[in-house]
Amino acid sequence: MDLTAVRTFVTVAHVGQFQDAAADLSITQQAVSKRVAALEKDLGVRLFTRTARGAQLTIDGQAFLPHARALLQAEELAMNSVRPGRRALRVDVINPRIAPSALVRDFHRAHPDVDLDVVALLDVEVDAAVAAIRSGSIDASFRALTAPARQLTDGIEAVRVLDEPHQLLTGPHHELATARTVTPDQLRGHRIWIPGLAPGTEWAAYYDDLAAAFGLSIDGTGPNFGTDHLLDVLTDSPTLATLVGERTRLLWPDRYDLRRIPVQDPTPVYPHALIWHRDNPHPALTALRNHLTATRPEPGADTWAPAWAR
């Protein structure tokens, strides 16, 4: 099986467009189509259907996708097995907008000589990150460990590197928009909208516990059209607000006039931990761990975190 065609298939499945896949792979759209067609011929099935919204996986395409990723992972592991220590330190930051990405940027500024490969795993589950660390496809990941006794097995280790304070994000017409700070008690009765809270994820567990601890109404329903859409909705809403991490990077037009308001007394903090495998020999991994532990801010005296945080 042609692994170049397999890699092209996985790229199209990820970005959802043949044209975008061509840009990512630095080839022509025609070359993408030829590779996918050759793979479909080898397999004897259709992998995509083209719609107005882009390339949609067929049922056969959905079935083949995890195996295609496994093939590429096996290829990468095979190549890395004969060139130890040569590839960049591969760190999963979950999302380029949030605090883990900022932590890695700080590390890069302090250690510009370290070669980094910053990635965001397609699978958001913490167990998937642990599995990727065990397999060696990534060297480290930032996660909140909701079940550390189960997850920290078979050589997986973790250290808490950041307790990230939360802020309330509102539009200019919200009842709390002029507040300098708010308390969790003041948020009761207000609708806090966080679309995309997928059940079983670490952040869903965090917000479930936060809502239970302070009697908050945290709503994860509705379609998740991304951060930009969330900001659009908040701008005009007198009733909706959301919660964001202090180091979450958000940009919006000046006319939106959105407000980031610290939450205090107590301050809910998200417990970011770095996880890795103790037998990972990558020389830069120790430097990353040492940097994060040395620069970790002292936790505030009046903070709240879930009981499972470590």
Side-chain angles (χ1 to χ4, degrees):
M1 185 175 294
D2 182 358
L3 290 182
T4 300
V6 173
R7 183 173 295 103
T8 303
F9 161 73
V10 171
T11 303
V12 175
H14 177 50
V15 301
Q17 298 276 355
F18 277 57
Q19 182 176 358
D20 292 345
D24 284 0
L25 295 169
S26 299
I27 59 176
T28 65
Q29 185 173 342
Q30 183 180 21
V32 170
S33 298
K34 285 184 177 180
R35 290 180 184 179
V36 171
L39 183 60
E40 289 177 329
K41 183 178 179 180
D42 287 344
L43 296 173
V45 297
R46 289 283 303 278
L47 297 172
F48 294 103
T49 57
R50 294 187 184 236
T51 71
R53 294 181 297 174
Q56 301 291 316
L57 286 168
T58 63
I59 293 176
D60 288 320
Q62 294 174 38
F64 182 64
L65 182 58
H67 302 289
R69 288 174 175 156
L71 285 171
L72 298 181
Q73 185 180 80
E75 177 196 36
E76 186 174 4
L77 291 173
M79 294 175 64
N80 289 338
S81 69
V82 295
R83 53 183 185 192
R86 289 181 57 190
R87 71 162 173 77
L89 182 70
R90 188 168 298 144
V91 184
D92 165 43
V93 297
I94 308 176
N95 183 314
R97 290 185 188 237
I98 62 176
S101 182
L103 292 176
V104 175
R105 289 197 300 270
D106 292 344
F107 171 72
H108 177 62
R109 282 191 288 266
H111 300 269
D113 55 320
V114 173
D115 193 12
L116 289 171
D117 185 6
V118 180
V119 301
L121 294 183
L122 295 178
D123 194 328
V124 299
E125 298 287 349
V126 63
D127 289 344
V130 171
I133 289 171
R134 287 197 180 103
S135 72
S137 59
I138 62 173
D139 299 301
S141 179
F142 292 87
R143 300 284 162 159
L145 297 174
T146 59
R150 174 173 59 83
Q151 292 153 342
L152 298 181
T153 59
D154 301 328
I156 300 297
E157 297 190 356
V159 61
R160 196 157 153 184
V161 294
L162 178 65
D163 287 345
E164 183 185 15
H166 265 65
Q167 298 174 334
L168 185 73
L169 182 65
T170 78
H173 309 297
H174 194 275
E175 179 182 337
L176 298 174
T178 59
R180 295 177 63 89
T181 63
V182 294
T183 68
D185 287 344
Q186 288 176 294
L187 299 182
R188 289 177 185 160
H190 292 279
R191 184 184 172 201
I192 300 171
W193 189 42
I194 308 180
L197 281 182
T201 58
E202 61 191 83
W203 39 91
Y206 174 86
Y207 287 115
D208 284 347
D209 284 6
L210 178 63
F214 298 102
L216 306 184
S217 299
I218 296 180
D219 181 5
T221 61
N224 179 20
F225 292 113
T227 301
D228 290 340
H229 176 257
L230 173 63
L231 300 181
D232 289 341
V233 173
L234 292 180
T235 298
D236 298 322
S237 176
T239 59
L240 287 182
T242 194
L243 289 168
V244 296
E246 183 180 70
R247 299 203 67 176
T248 297
R249 186 171 181 267
L250 296 172
L251 299 174
W252 57 77
D254 288 343
R255 68 179 184 278
Y256 280 20
D257 196 21
L258 296 175
R259 319 294 174 84
R260 297 182 71 146
I261 306 166
V263 183
Q264 299 178 353
D265 300 322
T267 298
V269 295
Y270 194 88
H272 296 282
L274 181 76
I275 57 176
W276 72 94
H277 197 287
R278 72 166 67 101
D279 295 331
N280 187 320
H282 200 295
L285 182 56
T286 299
L288 175 63
R289 295 201 314 265
N290 290 343
H291 170 84
L292 292 172
T293 53
T295 58
R296 178 189 175 187
E298 287 295 324
D302 191 13
T303 60
W304 174 91
W308 45 258
R310 64 163 292 160

